């Protein structure tokens, strides 16, 4: 029996069972590779998917017939070069003992999700900003997408590679709840398979929305677990697809967005002048065109702003008006996921208009931002 097949208690999304029960390696979500032009745009270039997509978005285009078995071991890291971190975040609240390195695009929504988790829990990390055109910083990696989180000093080769934003969050949360579940052990609980799509290798991650908590007592009900999982998946299946057609709605907005990506990502410090301007101007033009394609693909409304507004109103309805966060008195993984994705466009015109359209969202967003920036998750005195 493989380690991921061990029966362990987890958070489980089901419409049939109202009780906590044991997981036996289910829940598949397709993760497909993408090629991009810059920051937020990079993860979206592949029209058939992104870092985390649902079964309804292109599973029929992926050939998994050649899959032999689940892969439960960490991906082998070969000749990873030493890149100077573009930024380092050191928190006095960090008592984890981890040394993390995050390979990212600054304004990639999935990278923003992972940073929201790390910041909320006060976990220190170094950032390697990846050039979204040449991707020289991640050529060593078998997994070609971002985010990639490296846990230094762990694994057989001295570095443990964690992939897929939802898997990363679930693994870190599982370890936070149960320290006996080391990251090396947890990797076997999130197996992946490989398949081919148009000649490229794509990865199918399993259990990505599941948090393993063993026999520990958790102050959440089974229904709350289910709801948290449902909305985490909704972020990847619905919310994230409304962003590209909005931030690249017009040529002016596309250029404004890329200039914002350059500023917040500090591209002038990371990339050459040629690389930076190439990404800004060529990327803006390309993504303006692609935004129209994505609008049709995901069947957004003619006024794409309305599709984004509708999604955010749906989220606010789920949060309700009688609690501060979806998770209650403190944010849960669903709160951090929605916040992370929306924070990726914080400096764009789209976000400014969104704040004017939805006052309830503004209150919720600012509350989560305060919790993330204040590292609430590292404060044991803050409870649900």
């Amino acid at each position: 029996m493989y380690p991921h097949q061990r029966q362990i208690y987890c958070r489980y999304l089901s419409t049939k069972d109202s009780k906590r029960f044991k997981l036996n390696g289910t829940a598949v979500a397709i993760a497909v590779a993408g090629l991009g032009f810059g920051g937020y745009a990079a993860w979206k270039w592949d029209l058939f998917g992104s870092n985390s997509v649902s079964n309804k978005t292109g599973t029929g285009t992926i050939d998994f017939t050649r899959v032999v078995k689940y892969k439960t071991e960490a991906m082998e890291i070969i000749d990873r070069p030493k890149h100077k971190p573009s930024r380092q975040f050191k928190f006095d609240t960090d008592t984890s003992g981890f040394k993390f390195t995050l390979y990212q695009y600054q304004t990639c929504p999935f990278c923003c999700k992972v940073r929201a988790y790390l910041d909320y829990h006060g976990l220190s990390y170094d950032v390697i900003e990846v050039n979204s055109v040449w991707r020289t910083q991640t050529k060593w990696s078998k997994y070609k997408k971002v985010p990639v989180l490296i846990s230094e000093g762990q694994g057989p080769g001295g570095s443990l590679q964690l992939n897929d934003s939802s898997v990363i969050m679930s693994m870190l949360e599982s370890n936070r709840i149960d320290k006996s579940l080391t990251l090396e052990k947890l990797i076997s609980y999130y197996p992946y398979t490989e398949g081919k799509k148009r000649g490229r290798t794509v990865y199918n991650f399993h259990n990505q929305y599941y948090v393993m908590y063993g026999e520990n007592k958790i102050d959440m009900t089974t229904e709350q677990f289910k709801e948290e999982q449902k909305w985490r998946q909704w972020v990847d299946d619905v919310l994230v697809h409304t962003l590209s057609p909005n931030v690249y709605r017009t040529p002016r907005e596309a250029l404004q967005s890329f200039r914002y990506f350059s500023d917040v990502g500090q591209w002038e410090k990371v990339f050459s002048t040629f690389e930076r301007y190439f990404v800004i101007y060529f990327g803006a033009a390309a993504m303006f065109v692609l935004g129209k394609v994505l609008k049709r693909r995901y069947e957004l409304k003619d006024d794409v702003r309305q599709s984004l507004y509708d999604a955010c109103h749906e989220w606010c309805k789920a949060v309700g008006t009688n609690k501060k966060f979806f998770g209650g008195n403190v944010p849960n993984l669903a709160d951090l996921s929605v916040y992370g994705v929306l924070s990726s466009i914080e400096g764009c015109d789209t976000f400014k208009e969104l704040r004017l359209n939805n006052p309830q969202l503004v209150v919720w967003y600012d509350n989560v931002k305060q919790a993330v920036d204040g590292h609430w998750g590292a404060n044991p005195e803050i409870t649900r």
Side-chain angles (χ1 to χ4, degrees):
M1 179 176 290
Y2 291 109
H4 74 278
Q5 293 175 313
R6 292 174 53 197
Q7 291 184 329
I8 54 179
Y9 284 105
C10 70
R11 300 179 185 182
Y12 188 74
L13 177 61
S14 172
T15 57
K16 297 180 180 180
D17 192 352
S18 61
K19 298 181 179 179
R20 182 185 301 175
F21 67 104
K22 296 181 179 181
L23 172 67
N24 201 3
T26 55
V28 178
I30 302 301
V32 290
L35 175 64
F37 286 102
Y40 166 76
W43 61 274
K44 214 51 176 120
W45 178 243
D46 188 339
L47 302 187
F48 295 91
S50 57
N51 169 281
S52 302
V53 295
S54 68
N55 291 342
K56 66 184 180 182
T57 53
T59 56
T61 67
I62 303 176
D63 177 17
F64 283 102
T65 59
R66 300 175 63 184
V67 171
V68 177
K69 65 176 183 178
Y70 291 118
K71 294 178 183 268
T72 60
E73 70 281 357
M75 289 187 183
E76 184 180 7
I77 298 176
I78 301 176
D79 296 330
R80 180 168 68 100
K82 296 291 184 181
H83 291 288
K84 182 180 179 181
S86 54
R87 272 161 292 180
Q88 294 180 303
F89 297 90
K90 305 296 182 184
F91 304 124
D92 294 336
T93 54
D94 188 3
T95 60
S96 67
F98 290 124
K99 178 175 172 53
F100 288 132
T101 300
L102 178 64
Y103 289 80
Q104 66 154 30
Y105 307 133
Q106 177 66 24
T107 47
C108 160
F110 300 112
C111 299
C112 292
K113 281 168 56 180
V114 172
R115 290 204 313 273
Y117 184 92
L118 294 172
D119 292 344
Y120 176 73
H121 287 287
L123 298 173
S124 302
Y125 58 100
D126 294 344
V127 169
I128 305 295
E129 192 69 22
V130 178
N131 183 309
S132 55
V133 176
W134 318 122
R135 294 187 291 178
T136 54
Q137 294 81 3
T138 54
K139 286 189 180 299
W140 54 269
S141 176
K142 179 181 178 181
Y143 181 74
K144 298 302 182 183
K145 303 187 65 131
V146 292
V148 168
L149 186 68
I150 300 293
S151 182
E152 310 286 1
Q154 293 189 305
S159 299
L160 193 65
Q161 181 175 346
L162 312 182
N163 306 312
D164 183 274
S165 63
S166 294
V167 170
I168 291 171
M169 293 177 71
S170 294
M171 286 184 63
L172 294 181
E173 183 71 358
S174 298
N175 173 263
R176 185 189 70 82
I177 293 171
D178 187 347
K179 296 300 182 185
S180 70
L181 295 175
T182 65
L183 295 183
E184 290 183 79
K185 181 186 292 185
L186 281 165
I187 278 185
S188 67
Y189 299 157
Y190 299 89
Y192 65 94
T193 50
E194 295 182 7
K196 292 292 184 181
K197 186 176 77 173
R198 294 183 294 178
R200 298 209 312 266
T201 301
V202 295
Y203 298 96
N204 177 11
F205 288 92
H206 297 244
N207 307 337
Q208 62 193 136
Y209 301 108
Y210 295 77
V211 174
M212 315 300 175
Y213 55 88
E215 302 293 343
N216 290 278
K217 293 182 179 180
I218 308 298
D219 55 353
M220 291 177 67
T221 66
T222 302
E223 187 59 34
Q224 287 172 326
F225 290 151
K226 295 177 184 178
E227 285 296 300
E228 181 186 66
Q229 285 185 316
K230 182 181 79 172
W231 287 99
R232 287 181 67 194
Q233 186 166 357
W234 173 86
V235 171
D236 295 339
D237 291 350
V238 177
L239 179 62
V240 79
H241 296 311
T242 66
L243 300 188
S244 286
N246 273 282
V247 297
Y248 309 124
R249 185 178 60 164
T250 66
R252 184 194 65 80
E253 286 178 293
L255 186 58
Q256 184 268 334
S257 295
F258 270 85
R259 285 172 173 163
Y260 163 67
F261 300 155
S262 176
D263 291 342
V264 73
Q266 300 180 357
W267 290 357
E268 73 283 357
K269 297 180 180 179
V270 180
F271 308 130
S272 70
T273 301
F274 170 77
E275 289 176 324
R276 183 164 65 93
Y277 281 109
F278 179 83
V279 171
I280 291 174
Y281 289 98
F282 184 66
M287 293 309 297
F288 166 69
V289 175
L290 183 57
K292 307 303 180 186
V293 177
L294 295 173
K295 172 188 172 183
R296 293 193 297 272
R297 175 170 181 78
Y298 295 110
E299 299 179 351
L300 303 187
K301 294 182 177 180
D302 289 339
D303 180 1
V304 291
R305 282 287 195 274
Q306 194 59 52
S307 292
L308 174 61
Y309 295 163
D310 290 348
C312 290
H313 280 296
E314 185 179 0
W315 167 248
C316 288
K317 183 178 179 180
V319 174
T321 58
N322 60 347
K323 55 185 178 180
K324 196 170 185 179
F325 305 103
F326 186 74
N329 294 326
V330 295
N332 65 8
L333 295 184
D335 286 294
L336 295 176
S337 296
V338 177
Y339 168 80
V341 165
L342 291 179
S343 70
S344 69
I345 63 169
E346 191 172 287
C348 300
D349 289 346
T350 300
F351 188 78
K352 298 172 185 176
E353 294 179 23
L354 179 61
R355 289 181 67 94
L356 293 174
N357 176 268
N358 193 330
Q360 183 185 353
L361 182 74
V362 172
V363 174
W364 168 86
Y365 183 90
D366 290 347
N367 285 336
V368 180
K369 186 178 183 68
Q370 180 185 25
V372 169
D373 293 345
H375 318 306
W376 281 19
N379 186 346
E381 295 181 1
I382 300 177
T383 63
R384 296 182 188 277

